Amino acid sequence: MIDLDDTDRALLRALAEDATVSAGALGRRFGLSQPAAWRRIRRLEEAGVIVGRRVVVDREALGFGVTVFLGVKLATKGRVSLEDFERAVTAIPEVQVVQHVLGLFDYRLRVVARDIADFERVLRRRIMTLPGVGQVEANVLLTEEKRPGPLG
Amino acid sequence: MIDLDDTDRALLRALAEDATVSAGALGRRFGLSQPAAWRRIRRLEEAGVIVGRRVVVDREALGFGVTVFLGVKLATKGRVSLEDFERAVTAIPEVQVVQHVLGLFDYRLRVVARDIADFERVLRRRIMTLPGVGQVEANVLLTEEKRPGPLG
DNA sequence: CTTGAAAAGAACTGCCT
DNA sequence: AGGCAGTTCTTTTCAAG
């Protein structure tokens, strides 16, 4: 649990927004030399604050225009039920995220589909047939805004 | 809505997992030369399939060990209410994601906090005081698994 | 921390099959 | 489409202040 100064936070915020900028460009933006900026970034990686770099894929450009969030309550609890459910749900290609949660539901899923008809197919043939599924609640995504979040 | 072949999907899957690998390394992995792999990646960028590159920040390493998903139902609807709510909620630093959704709730929020006590503070002083907030439902994140999702 | 420089590697270009 | 060869740029490391 390293603590960061304002410059570290600025670098982190910039890289979380766009990781294609070079260390030299970041240094110029925040008043550091290229090696200084580079050393700070490497320090953030070594400290486990930066855990990887990913490309962001636009699902709509691939024809997946529908995103639905599902809350799933299991009818049967217990260790085996959780493991069975998790194994089965991770085998569904349309499921992007599986969150084990505490509260009214046991799992939250992020599911993508080509359109609503395609989503109904996924829901009926894939989701509702999962082992131990009880109550299911759905929310269809309209717009999504991601923000940097707190950094220390 | 470009359509991809198996090689494009393999490249995309690899880059969505780890964008630090070079075009040359990807080419060797999938039986392409460095320029061939690079040209395919650039084509995916130009087609709008790859929309950016980001670093992944581990919030736990920064001391934010608690993630909570909130479903929010507005008491007062209408265009102005939505805009007021969105403007106010995006000003809360602990809110990472704001999703406008259709269903039982109107918005879904991803909120991070240092611990449960800190989350209670955010909930009472920030979330419950948002303009037009009605019913609120919470799920505390235990574990999260992200999967590649469908690519075409 | 800085500047400057050097070596390694990746990105990018043009030409050819 | 893909490959080869070459150029340009960044990244990465080092030395010295």
Side-chain angles (χ1 to χ4, degrees):
Chain A
M1 212 201 300
I2 195 178
D3 73 332
L4 319 176
D5 63 16
D6 291 342
T7 306
D8 287 326
R9 276 190 280 272
L11 291 170
L12 211 47
R13 197 166 283 127
L15 287 171
E17 179 77 19
D18 175 15
T20 64
V21 291
S22 69
L26 285 172
R28 281 189 294 280
R29 199 193 304 176
F30 301 121
L32 292 174
S33 68
Q34 186 274 330
W38 186 84
R39 275 192 294 264
R40 278 176 181 265
I41 294 165
R42 198 188 48 178
R43 194 171 136 267
L44 291 170
E45 285 165 348
E46 286 167 351
V49 174
I50 294 175
V51 288
R53 290 159 193 263
R54 304 234 161 111
V55 297
V56 181
V57 176
D58 181 359
R59 247 77 198 185
E60 284 205 36
L62 293 175
F64 292 90
V66 172
T67 301
V68 181
F69 300 102
L70 295 177
V72 177
K73 195 170 177 54
L74 293 190
T76 57
K77 309 283 172 94
R79 186 175 58 82
V80 178
S81 297
L82 299 184
E83 285 170 5
D84 283 352
F85 179 85
E86 288 180 16
R87 196 164 349 95
V89 81
T90 51
I92 305 174
E94 288 84 358
V95 173
Q96 274 192 306
V97 182
V98 181
Q99 293 156 341
H100 185 197
V101 295
L102 219 52
L104 205 58
F105 295 102
D106 297 307
Y107 287 93
R108 299 215 59 94
L109 310 179
R110 182 184 182 120
V111 179
V112 295
R114 302 191 166 280
D115 47 47
I116 291 290
D118 187 38
F119 174 71
E120 194 195 1
R121 178 188 61 81
V122 174
L123 183 67
R124 293 174 83 135
R125 301 173 97 113
R126 299 287 188 178
I127 306 291
M128 301 309 273
T129 59
L130 284 168
V133 171
Q135 188 193 336
V136 175
E137 181 239 27
N139 286 110
V140 178
L141 179 63
L142 296 174
T143 60
E144 177 171 38
E145 196 185 346
K146 300 199 178 186
R147 313 211 337 106
L151 293 174
Chain B
M1 213 203 296
I2 195 179
D3 73 331
L4 318 175
D5 64 15
D6 291 341
T7 306
D8 287 325
R9 276 190 281 271
L11 291 170
L12 211 47
R13 199 165 284 128
L15 287 171
E17 177 78 18
D18 175 15
T20 64
V21 291
S22 68
L26 286 172
R28 281 189 294 280
R29 199 192 304 176
F30 300 121
L32 292 173
S33 68
Q34 184 272 328
W38 183 83
R39 278 192 286 258
R40 277 176 180 267
I41 294 164
R42 196 188 49 178
R43 192 172 138 266
L44 292 170
E45 285 165 347
E46 287 169 349
V49 175
I50 294 175
V51 289
R53 290 159 192 263
R54 304 231 159 115
V55 298
V56 181
V57 176
D58 181 358
R59 247 79 199 184
E60 283 205 36
L62 294 176
F64 291 91
V66 172
T67 300
V68 181
F69 301 101
L70 294 178
V72 177
K73 195 171 177 57
L74 294 190
T76 58
K77 308 283 172 96
R79 186 176 57 81
V80 178
S81 297
L82 298 185
E83 284 170 5
D84 283 352
F85 179 85
E86 288 181 16
R87 196 165 348 94
V89 80
T90 51
I92 306 173
E94 288 85 357
V95 173
Q96 273 192 309
V97 182
V98 180
Q99 292 156 342
H100 185 197
V101 294
L102 218 52
L104 205 59
F105 295 102
D106 298 306
Y107 287 93
R108 299 215 59 95
L109 310 179
R110 183 183 181 120
V111 179
V112 296
R114 301 192 168 279
D115 48 46
I116 290 290
D118 186 38
F119 174 72
E120 194 195 1
R121 177 188 62 80
V122 175
L123 183 67
R124 293 175 83 134
R125 302 174 97 115
R126 299 286 189 178
I127 306 291
M128 300 309 273
T129 60
L130 284 169
V133 170
Q135 187 193 337
V136 175
E137 181 238 27
N139 286 109
V140 178
L141 179 63
L142 296 174
T143 61
E144 177 171 39
E145 195 185 349
K146 301 198 177 187
R147 313 211 336 107
L151 294 173

